[in-house]
């Protein structure tokens, strides 16, 4: 069976800004199988019981040749374990899509890296999160939204926590969760499309607390449901709830779920000047606004002060994460009603990079030393229009996917200090002369061998960074390795797996040399630690 995904839909290419799903009441699920995971959360590889002595020696020899992060680690039972990093939250341990694992197998043959396991999963756009050997996925099956824990090394299900969901996407996209789970040593936090905020025990799946934000706050009707992953700051779980009139951002006690503070809404934007408007037109709060965001917040230290940076529908707000007190605001909104902000802000030293589709573009702000004011370094309507995929900054350059619709999707590099576009591609450049579309097969093939080939263009892709390379996932399943190079676009290799189909809108996840890919109804695990 071919591993390439080659079918191209004939539907009109359309865009969406996504993230999260739903819930109301909770029901606990058993967690007896979780005891099979070793006590140390950093344990990850197959046990020695499952290998012959010769196999184990091969594993050890292979790891000894690698960097420290892949040297063998032994637990008390003599099992060989795999080193590396957790990926416990949205966009990884740093919240930026950047991995600290660099000694990886990326010189793939045409069939790609080894496939370790695959699973059919429920609907959703949320990425899995990983802590130790526990992988947690938030997905929907039937009328239940399910938080499910798997073994990261084998894909075996360990426990499930489920609650009912009636969410239906008003634009016809799938009805599953959009937000990634947030994992600590003991807890797992999830945020569903209807606004169910849940905390369960990471080891057993038992409910600790649950909040129905749709009932507790005035959320109104949103375009795509709830869509941004919460963040932890000390003992505060902070979520962009989007409630009227001033509950756009809400801080909850992470242990009990009780509300600690609310902020952002009418008090933030009412009476403020609308940039680009004629004269001194001011915004008048109607009470019917969507305060929704699809851009996950981030907490960063700038000039010694902690800033909670939240990009909501009207624009960016900086808050004191302890109290919710506003530091500053910046209008950053499309003139189109049917529009959203969905890419996370980037923090580079004392600068903040913002980007959005719907003809908004990008802006670079420089925060002043007082922490309550800023300067706009530049703003450009066209240079980078992130739809939902967050850009990555490397050494003075920003790399990201730009474009609202798939047909407009471009992979770009821009210079941070000026906003100037350095290069702009659709991803097809390395292969366009070697492949062709086969109407009988309904997909792309190699011109010479007539073997199936990955879809040539990336569309509105996503990516993560490993050292001096990006791992890119196109929205039709093309998986590529791209050199980090501000001077030119340089793709090193590409492949695809038939399990990952359109729309593959979830960013790749990397933990302990394993790459996890997810589309609407499937999840696969690939081995990037294997050098052979």
């Amino acid at each position: 069976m071919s591993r390439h995904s080659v079918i191209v839909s004939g539907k009109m290419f359309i865009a969406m800004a996504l993230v999260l799903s739903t819930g109301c009441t909770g029901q606990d699920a058993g967690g007896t199988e979780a005891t099979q995971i070793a006590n140390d959360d950093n344990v990850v590889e197959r046990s020695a019981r499952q290998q012959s002595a010769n196999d184990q020696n091969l594993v050890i020899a292979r790891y000894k040749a690698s960097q420290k992060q892949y040297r063998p680690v032994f637990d008390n039972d003599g099992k060989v374990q795999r080193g590396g990093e957790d990926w416990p939250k949205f966009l990884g341990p740093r919240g930026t899509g950047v991995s600290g694992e660099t000694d990886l197998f990326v010189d793939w043959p045409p069939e790609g890296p080894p496939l370790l396991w695959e699973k059919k999963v429920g609907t959703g756009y949320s990425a899995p999160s990983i802590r130790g050997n526990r992988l947690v996925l938030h997905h929907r099956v039937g009328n239940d939204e399910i938080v499910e824990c798997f073994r990261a090394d084998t894909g075996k299900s360990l426990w499930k926590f489920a609650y009912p969901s009636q969410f239906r996407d008003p634009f016809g996209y799938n009805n599953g969760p959009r937000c990634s789970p947030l994992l600590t040593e003991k807890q797992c936090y999830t945020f569903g499309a209807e606004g169910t905020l849940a905390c369960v025990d990471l080891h057993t799946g038992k409910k600790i607390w649950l909040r129905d934000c749709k009932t507790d706050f005035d959320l109104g009707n949103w375009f795509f449901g709830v869509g941004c992953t919460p963040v932890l700051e000390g003992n505060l779980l902070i979520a962009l709830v989007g409630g009227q009139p001033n509950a756009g951002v809400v801080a909850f006690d992470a242990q009990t779920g009780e509300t600690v503070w609310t902020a952002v809404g009418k008090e933030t934007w009412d009476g403020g000047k609308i940039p680009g408007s004629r004269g001194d037109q001011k915004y008048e709060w109607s009470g019917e606004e969507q305060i929704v965001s699809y851009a996950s917040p981030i907490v960063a230290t700038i000039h010694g002060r902690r800033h909670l940076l939240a990009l909501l529908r009207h624009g960016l707000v900086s808050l004191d994460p302890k109290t919710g007190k506003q530091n500053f605001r910046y209008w950053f909104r499309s003139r189109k009603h049917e529009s959203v902000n969905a890419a996370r802000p980037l923090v580079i030293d004392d600068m903040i990079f913002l980007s959005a589709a719907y003809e908004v573009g990008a802006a670079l702000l420089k925060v002043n030393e007082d922490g309550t004011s800023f300067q706009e370094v530049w703003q450009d309507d066209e240079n980078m229009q992130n739809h939902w995929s967050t850009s990555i900054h490397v050494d003075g350059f920003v790399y990201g996917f730009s474009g609202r619709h798939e047909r407009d999707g471009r992979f770009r590099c821009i210079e941070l200090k000026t906003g100037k576009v350095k290069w702009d591609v659709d991803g097809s450049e390395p292969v366009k002369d070697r492949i062709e579309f086969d109407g009988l097969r309904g997909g792309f093939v190699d011109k010479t061998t007539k073997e199936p080939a990955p879809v040539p263009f990336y569309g509105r892709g996503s990516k993560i960074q490993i050292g001096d390379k990006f791992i890119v996932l196109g929205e039709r399943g093309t998986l590529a390795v791209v050199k980090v190079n501000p001077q030119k676009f340089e793709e090193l290799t590409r492949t695809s797996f038939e399990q990952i189909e359109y729309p593959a809108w979830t960013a790749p996840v990397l933990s302990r040399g394993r790459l996890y890919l997810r589309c609407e109804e499937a999840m696969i695990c690939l081995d990037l630690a294997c050098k052979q």
Side-chain angles (χ1 to χ4, degrees):
M1 181 181 294
S2 170
R3 301 170 66 188
H4 292 290
S5 177
V6 297
I7 303 301
V8 179
S9 173
K11 296 179 180 179
M12 176 79 68
F13 294 142
I14 54 179
M16 157 188 172
L18 25 99
V19 280
L20 254 124
S21 197
T22 154
C24 286
T25 61
Q27 71 181 54
D28 293 335
T32 57
E33 289 182 307
T35 59
Q36 296 180 29
I37 286 193
N39 292 330
D40 182 356
D41 272 347
N42 289 326
V43 167
V44 200
E45 193 49 80
R46 291 178 297 169
S47 69
R49 293 194 305 269
Q50 298 171 305
Q51 309 175 40
S52 68
N54 289 338
D55 289 337
Q56 182 169 330
N57 289 336
L58 278 174
V59 172
I60 295 172
R62 183 185 303 158
Y63 288 165
K64 282 183 176 179
S66 302
Q67 293 182 356
K68 182 178 180 180
Q69 60 190 356
Y70 292 115
R71 289 176 183 170
V73 177
F74 296 92
D75 63 16
N76 293 334
D77 296 327
K79 301 175 184 177
V80 178
Q81 308 301 340
R82 180 180 284 187
E85 287 188 329
D86 291 330
W87 194 279
K89 59 185 179 180
F90 179 62
L91 294 182
R94 298 158 189 82
T96 59
V98 178
S99 172
E101 301 184 27
T102 57
D103 187 53
L104 299 170
F105 170 47
V106 293
D107 187 17
W108 304 331
E111 63 270 19
L115 175 67
L116 295 178
W117 54 262
E118 60 183 282
K119 293 192 78 70
K120 285 287 186 181
V121 296
T123 59
Y125 301 113
S126 58
S129 295
I130 301 167
R131 190 176 180 91
N133 199 26
R134 293 179 176 87
L135 178 152
V136 180
L137 181 70
H138 197 192
H139 57 146
R140 179 168 169 177
V141 178
N143 291 322
D144 285 331
E145 191 166 286
I146 298 172
V147 182
E148 186 167 4
C149 181
F150 303 87
R151 284 189 65 115
D153 57 352
T154 66
K156 180 180 180 181
S157 180
L158 298 172
W159 55 255
K160 298 178 183 179
F161 172 76
Y163 53 85
S165 171
Q166 301 300 318
F167 174 72
R168 295 185 64 183
D169 188 283
F171 288 84
Y173 298 104
N174 81 43
N175 56 10
R178 284 91 162 96
C179 293
S180 299
L182 171 58
L183 310 182
T184 68
E185 183 177 352
K186 296 181 179 180
Q187 282 98 22
C188 166
Y189 300 94
T190 58
F191 202 10
E194 281 180 327
T196 298
L197 186 64
C199 174
V200 302
D201 188 291
L202 178 60
H203 298 265
T204 66
K206 291 184 178 180
K207 182 180 73 174
I208 298 175
W209 57 261
L210 185 144
R211 290 289 300 269
D212 182 359
C213 293
K214 188 175 183 179
T215 299
D216 297 344
F217 303 93
D218 182 7
L219 301 191
N221 296 316
W222 292 1
F223 290 132
F224 306 111
V226 176
C228 43
T229 302
V231 293
L232 270 173
E233 177 72 2
N235 192 44
L236 295 179
L237 181 73
I238 304 173
L240 306 193
V241 170
Q244 282 275 11
N246 294 303
V249 184
V250 180
F252 302 87
D253 185 297
Q255 303 306 314
T256 66
E258 296 179 357
T259 301
V260 177
W261 56 255
T262 62
V264 183
K266 180 178 181 179
E267 63 186 11
T268 311
W269 304 108
D270 189 35
K273 183 180 178 181
I274 302 176
S277 62
R278 295 181 179 178
D280 293 325
Q281 183 180 350
K282 294 183 178 181
Y283 186 80
E284 295 183 8
W285 195 262
S286 70
E288 301 297 323
E289 290 88 350
Q290 296 184 23
I291 316 178
V292 61
S293 174
Y294 293 92
S296 295
I298 192 165
V299 183
T301 300
I302 305 175
H303 296 307
R305 180 197 295 253
R306 294 291 279 172
H307 290 257
L308 170 67
L309 299 170
L311 181 58
L312 292 102
R313 178 161 172 77
H314 294 79
L316 177 74
V317 180
S318 168
L319 304 175
D320 181 333
K322 290 184 178 180
T323 65
K325 181 181 178 180
Q326 179 177 306
N327 295 316
F328 57 81
R329 68 180 185 186
Y330 175 71
W331 185 276
F332 194 72
R333 177 178 172 177
S334 173
R335 294 179 178 274
K336 298 178 180 294
H337 172 68
E338 294 183 348
S339 62
V340 296
N341 291 327
R344 175 177 254 175
L346 299 185
V347 180
I348 307 102
D349 299 324
D350 61 352
M351 294 181 290
I352 303 170
F353 173 83
L354 305 173
S355 182
Y358 305 94
E359 301 177 10
V360 175
L364 183 67
L365 311 180
K366 184 178 179 63
V367 180
N368 295 325
E369 290 189 11
D370 61 14
T372 60
S373 60
F374 64 89
Q375 306 168 45
E376 184 183 80
V377 179
W378 56 258
Q379 188 276 329
D380 191 307
D381 295 345
E382 299 180 348
N383 63 349
M384 182 71 79
Q385 297 187 6
N386 293 156
H387 197 172
W388 60 79
S389 178
T390 299
S391 291
I392 294 178
H393 168 262
V394 187
D395 298 332
F397 297 89
V398 175
Y399 302 80
F401 284 93
S402 182
R404 177 182 175 185
H405 299 287
E406 183 182 15
R407 62 175 176 266
D408 306 322
R410 311 287 296 182
F411 189 22
R412 287 179 176 170
C413 172
I414 67 172
E415 186 177 39
L416 179 66
K417 65 180 181 181
T418 64
K420 179 181 178 181
V421 177
K422 301 295 291 184
W423 50 257
D424 168 77
V425 299
D426 67 6
S428 68
E429 289 75 6
V431 298
K432 61 184 179 181
D433 295 329
R434 305 200 313 263
I435 65 172
E436 61 187 3
F437 187 78
D438 187 327
L440 294 178
R441 295 190 182 189
F444 290 92
V445 298
D446 185 283
K447 288 182 178 179
T448 302
T449 67
K450 303 303 179 182
E451 290 295 317
V455 173
F457 47 84
Y458 297 152
R460 298 158 298 175
S462 57
K463 69 198 171 307
I464 59 175
Q465 182 190 349
I466 52 168
D468 63 350
K469 301 175 182 68
F470 295 118
I471 295 179
V472 173
L473 179 63
E475 63 179 301
R476 292 188 179 272
T478 299
L479 183 65
V481 178
V482 175
K483 186 77 172 177
V484 177
N485 186 345
Q487 303 307 318
K488 63 178 181 179
F489 170 70
E490 189 177 355
E491 183 183 271
L492 303 179
T493 187
R494 68 168 55 197
T495 188
S496 62
F497 289 80
E498 62 183 359
Q499 298 90 338
I500 303 301
E501 300 177 332
Y502 177 85
W505 289 340
T506 302
V509 166
L510 178 68
S511 179
R512 293 176 172 79
R514 299 188 187 96
L515 183 69
Y516 302 85
L517 305 179
R518 189 256 167 105
C519 60
E520 279 196 347
E521 298 181 349
M523 179 169 59
I524 66 174
C525 175
L526 307 175
D527 191 2
L528 301 192
C530 176
K531 295 292 184 181
Q532 299 180 0

